[in-house]
Amino acid sequence: MCDPITGMALASVASSVVSTAMTTVSAGQQAKAEFEAAEAQRKAEEAEALRGIAQEQQEGLEQQSDIMRSAQKELGAAQASENNLTQTSLGALLLAGEYKLQRGLSRIDEQTAIDVSFKESQQADAISRQGTRGVQASGRASQQISSAVGSTLKTAVSAGTSVYSAPKTPNRGASSYVT
């Protein structure tokens, strides 16, 4: 059995150690939860970016299809009126129609490429932000654990100082009555 001062010091150190262990577990769980939330958000943002890319590509195909239909309609009208046109004027009409067709398709391809590039950069940004959030969560957990360990060490040093500076009376805490 130990004297009351030593007992109180040991109890204080034990309480601090338990508190540090609980803080460590809590900080780890919090960091894990934050990382999982960041990963879920990244996946959602990435899925949205991919959906946007698919939508941009679909819209580009639809616009190209509209231009092709329009060009075919103009070609059909030109061929229908072929009897009234000379070979040179028919060739000029067909060349102008082909130029308009190719220029329209080229513009659609350019805009689709720009839109897809933008969506891909959003996707890369989501991945980068998720990594940053994971590092921040890990840093906060490390800070909490370091603080708890520091507090435990301070308590242990304080307890040791209390025990060391306690009066050195023989048989302290023992009964002074003799039976």
Side-chain angles (χ1 to χ4, degrees), residues 135-146:
V135 168
Q136 289 172 343
S138 175
R140 283 190 296 276
S142 292
Q143 184 179 14
Q144 289 174 351
I145 292 168
S146 295

Side-chain angles (χ1 to χ4, degrees), residues 29-108:
Q29 289 172 341
Q30 181 180 356
K32 182 180 177 184
E34 287 181 32
F35 182 78
E36 288 172 352
E39 185 175 9
Q41 183 170 352
R42 178 204 47 91
K43 286 180 180 179
E45 290 173 0
E46 189 174 355
E48 177 58 25
L50 290 173
R51 187 202 61 75
I53 289 170
Q55 181 179 352
E56 292 296 333
Q57 290 174 337
Q58 180 63 35
E59 288 173 2
L61 289 174
E62 289 172 2
Q63 290 173 349
Q64 288 176 345
S65 179
D66 292 345
I67 288 176
M68 291 296 292
R69 272 194 296 279
S70 175
Q72 288 173 347
K73 186 176 179 181
E74 288 177 21
L75 178 62
Q79 287 175 342
S81 63
E82 183 178 353
N83 296 337
N84 298 333
L85 297 174
T86 66
Q87 192 70 18
T88 305
S89 57
L90 178 60
L93 277 175
L94 292 176
L95 183 62
E98 182 65 21
Y99 174 77
K100 278 179 41 181
L101 171 67
Q102 292 305 319
R103 187 64 195 135
L105 293 175
S106 174
R107 286 181 181 154
I108 290 170

